[in-house]
């Protein structure tokens, strides 16, 4: 004889299956959220490690680790020579910007 499952138990099993599927979905979304949050934290940190330079009216962003060595950027990064920054944080260099991106 066929075993008959009452309708209310079928509905309960369906509800539990749906809840388990939704729970698994939420766990995946939570993992994605935390992974994205970590990536944003890294980007925010890197952004704080940037130098903002205005060369002849053109804005450049460069990461601080690129300033190691004996060149103008290392002097800027060292803060050895005080340089003025505008209200946004760009250090002005009074030079032609045409080749600066290549040099950078």
């Amino acid at each position: 004889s066929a075993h008959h499952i009452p309708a209310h138990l079928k509905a309960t099993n369906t509800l539990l299956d749906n809840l388990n599927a939704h729970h698994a979905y939420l766990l995946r979304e939570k993992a994605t959220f935390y992974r994205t949050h970590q990536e944003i934290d890294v980007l925010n940190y890197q952004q704080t490690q940037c130098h903002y330079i205005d060369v002849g009216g053109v804005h450049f962003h460069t990461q601080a680790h690129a300033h190691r060595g004996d060149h103008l950027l290392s002097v800027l990064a060292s803060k050895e020579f005080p340089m003025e920054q505008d209200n946004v944080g760009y250090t002005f260099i009074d030079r032609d910007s045409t080749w600066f991106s290549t040099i950078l």
Side-chain angles (χ1 to χ4, degrees), residues 34-48:
Y34 283 118
R35 209 171 29 254
T36 303
H37 184 47
Q38 289 173 333
E39 291 171 6
I40 290 170
D41 284 346
V42 168
L43 289 172
N44 284 337
Y45 174 76
Q46 289 173 346
Q47 195 70 11
T48 64

Side-chain angles (χ1 to χ4, degrees), residues 14-96:
T14 300
L15 180 60
L16 285 174
D17 289 344
N18 288 340
L19 284 173
N20 285 333
H22 192 67
H23 183 255
Y25 167 78
L26 289 175
L27 289 175
R28 287 190 305 272
E29 289 297 308
K30 181 179 178 181
T32 300
F33 170 81
Y34 283 118
R35 209 171 29 254
T36 303
H37 184 47
Q38 289 173 333
E39 291 171 6
I40 290 170
D41 284 346
V42 168
L43 289 172
N44 284 337
Y45 174 76
Q46 289 173 346
Q47 195 70 11
T48 64
Q49 300 302 308
C50 282
H51 289 270
Y52 301 93
I53 306 167
D54 176 345
V55 181
V58 178
H59 291 168
F60 295 91
H61 303 164
T62 181
Q63 291 187 343
H65 68 78
H67 302 161
R68 296 185 185 109
D70 294 327
H71 49 76
L72 173 63
L73 292 178
S74 63
V75 172
L76 290 174
S78 74
K79 308 290 185 200
E80 189 174 324
F81 297 99
M83 302 192 80
E84 290 186 29
Q85 292 183 340
D86 65 12
N87 59 350
V88 182
Y90 284 89
T91 301
F92 180 72
I93 300 174
D94 190 15
R95 294 288 181 265
D96 184 1

